[in-house]
Amino acid sequence: MPRNGSGQYSLPAGNPVVTNTVISSSGWANPTLSDLAAAITDSIAADGQTVPSANLPMGNYRHTQVANAQARDDYAAAGQVQDGAFTTLANVAGSADAITATVGPPITSYATGAKFTFTAAAANTTTTPTLSIDGLPAETLVHADGSALAAGDILADATVEVYFDGTNFRILGMYSQSAEFDRIVAPGGTVTGDISMSGNLTISGSGSLTDPNAQWLGKAVGEVFPLMTYLTGVTEPPTTSSLFRFIKLTASDSYNAGVLTSESVSGSDPTITATAVVSLTGSPLNGRTVHLLNTERYFLRPGTSGVGENSANLSHSHTGGAVSAGNHAHTGTTDSAGNHSHTIPNTNIGQAGGGSLILGSTDVSYTGNAGAHTHTFTTGAAGTHTHDITITSSGGSESRPRYIGATYYMRIL
């Protein structure tokens, strides 16, 4: 009979044979030999002829002394995995802008998310270098964010790590012990673009390594800071770096092109409200609304972040008024009004001898011109009374301390 399902084999009936018992072809020999043949057929042949018909549990044992895999459906030897044999490209050839390579075992298509590493033979000279593996279609090499490369971004002799995003090969990293420094530390040279370094850098002699972008890398995302841009030599943060991005907190400014949207400016001085929404993939502030302080002209002060208040004076009052001084009159002098005359009503003036004298023959009479002169007068007493005092307003359209303007920026990436 075949194995019992647990791998154990038992001889068929009639076994073992008994001494002095007749052994016949039909009673013992043929059934026993047929059963043995069936059991052997169900076993795995050492020369690889047998194809298993079910999963083979190893019972916590392992296959030892295995060879390296040669096809995608072979066992992988642990050494191959540790050595990166499945992802390190070999036979790198072609040109600086049309790279070809192979990988073992060979692949028949690019799987989205697959990663590979290769050593570049030369620096790229175009913005669209390509990579073809195992004769598959050549796909474009781009930055990790999907943007196009610049000529020289791939360094000669540099180890380049890429992954396939379904359309292009994106460069995840690049490492070099010689080519990178040949490019950077040229005596008296200037480096443009971003530099990624690992390990230590030793500078000998009187040379130095400076990074014009170091001052900007020290700013935190969300940090607001002023620049006195009216001074010669003061420059804005660059807008072309892949390591950082700043915005100018000013409405309708070309510096913010491509990173701010939904700008809104309302109100009038001194209560202008100006906001915009950050629109930059990868920025922790993407989709957040920010105040454009240069347009709003807010002062910054400690308090709850993002909460503003309109201009105001400290609450106070003014007291004024004349003291009641009892029944009294007021004496004053008019100002000089130039040569002038006075109109008086028609009046009877008594004469010393009795009777009266009427001045003029009409309803009114006039005095003669007496040249420029003033008049002293006294008002009549009006009883006990007071006088109101009005304080004339002065100042500008807002309350503010003395200040000088500065242009504010904020880091968003």
Side-chain angles (χ1 to χ4, degrees):
M1 60 180 296
R3 291 182 173 85
N4 64 358
S6 298
Q8 295 180 346
Y9 172 78
S10 299
L11 289 170
N15 290 284
V17 295
V18 179
T19 304
N20 297 322
T21 299
V22 176
I23 298 176
S24 65
S25 60
S26 60
W28 177 86
N30 290 340
T32 298
L33 294 177
S34 295
D35 197 75
L36 288 171
I40 293 172
T41 298
D42 288 341
S43 300
I44 297 177
D47 62 1
Q49 293 185 58
T50 307
V51 176
S53 57
N55 295 329
L56 301 177
M58 295 301 298
N60 293 323
Y61 291 94
R62 65 184 188 276
H63 291 142
T64 60
Q65 298 181 347
V66 297
N68 287 337
Q70 299 297 316
R72 288 174 60 85
D73 55 0
D74 288 352
Y75 280 123
Q80 287 181 288
V81 177
Q82 290 178 325
D83 299 340
F86 302 131
T87 57
T88 301
L89 302 184
N91 304 313
V92 178
S95 66
D97 299 309
I99 304 168
T100 61
T102 62
V103 67
I107 59 175
T108 57
S109 63
Y110 298 129
T112 299
K115 297 180 180 179
F116 302 98
T117 302
F118 68 93
T119 300
N124 64 300
T125 61
T126 71
T127 60
T128 56
T130 60
L131 172 64
S132 171
I133 304 174
D134 290 330
L136 294 174
E139 305 295 355
T140 304
L141 289 157
V142 298
H143 284 300
D145 63 359
S147 60
L149 298 178
D153 277 351
I154 298 177
L155 306 175
D157 298 324
T159 299
V160 183
E161 183 182 11
V162 301
Y163 87 97
F164 187 66
D165 66 3
T167 302
N168 299 313
F169 283 109
R170 299 195 180 203
I171 297 179
L172 297 179
M174 192 170 347
Y175 316 92
S176 176
Q177 294 181 340
S178 59
E180 183 76 3
F181 287 99
D182 289 342
R183 181 187 181 203
I184 296 173
V185 197
T190 300
V191 178
T192 59
D194 301 327
I195 302 171
S196 297
M197 296 177 57
S198 60
N200 299 322
L201 171 63
T202 301
I203 301 175
S204 60
S206 59
S208 63
L209 180 64
T210 60
D211 181 0
N213 291 329
Q215 59 180 320
W216 311 122
L217 291 171
K219 301 294 183 183
V221 172
E223 181 177 349
V224 175
F225 60 95
L227 282 178
M228 306 300 281
T229 51
Y230 76 96
L231 295 173
T232 301
V234 176
T235 59
E236 297 178 318
T239 61
T240 56
S241 175
S242 62
L243 299 178
F244 55 77
R245 183 63 162 96
F246 292 80
I247 55 174
K248 183 189 294 186
L249 299 177
T250 303
S252 302
D253 197 290
S254 60
Y255 181 89
N256 301 323
V259 294
L260 287 184
T261 187
S262 301
E263 276 197 8
S264 174
V265 179
S266 61
S268 59
D269 187 49
T271 56
I272 296 174
T273 299
T275 60
V277 177
V278 176
S279 178
L280 179 61
T281 301
S283 168
L285 302 181
N286 190 39
R288 302 293 182 87
T289 299
V290 295
H291 282 272
L292 304 178
L293 300 181
N294 299 323
T295 301
E296 293 180 320
R297 304 188 71 195
Y298 268 122
F299 287 98
L300 297 180
R301 62 179 292 182
T304 304
S305 180
V307 176
E309 293 179 304
N310 289 328
S311 176
N313 289 321
L314 182 66
S315 178
H316 64 285
S317 61
H318 299 273
T319 301
V323 177
S324 177
N327 186 26
H328 63 280
H330 299 272
T331 299
T333 301
T334 66
D335 63 352
S336 174
N339 186 23
H340 63 279
S341 61
H342 299 272
T343 301
I344 59 175
N346 200 11
T347 305
N348 291 329
I349 300 176
Q351 298 184 45
S356 63
L357 175 64
I358 298 176
L359 296 178
S361 59
T362 59
D363 293 337
V364 294
S365 299
Y366 301 89
T367 65
N369 293 334
H373 58 281
T374 63
H375 301 272
T376 300
F377 65 91
T378 300
T379 65
T384 301
H385 62 278
T386 62
H387 300 272
D388 293 331
I389 297 175
T390 300
I391 300 174
T392 304
S393 65
S394 64
S397 61
E398 62 180 356
S399 298
R400 60 177 178 264
R402 188 181 185 194
Y403 75 94
I404 185 170
T407 305
Y408 280 85
Y409 295 79
M410 176 192 288
R411 185 175 180 180
I412 61 173
L413 176 66

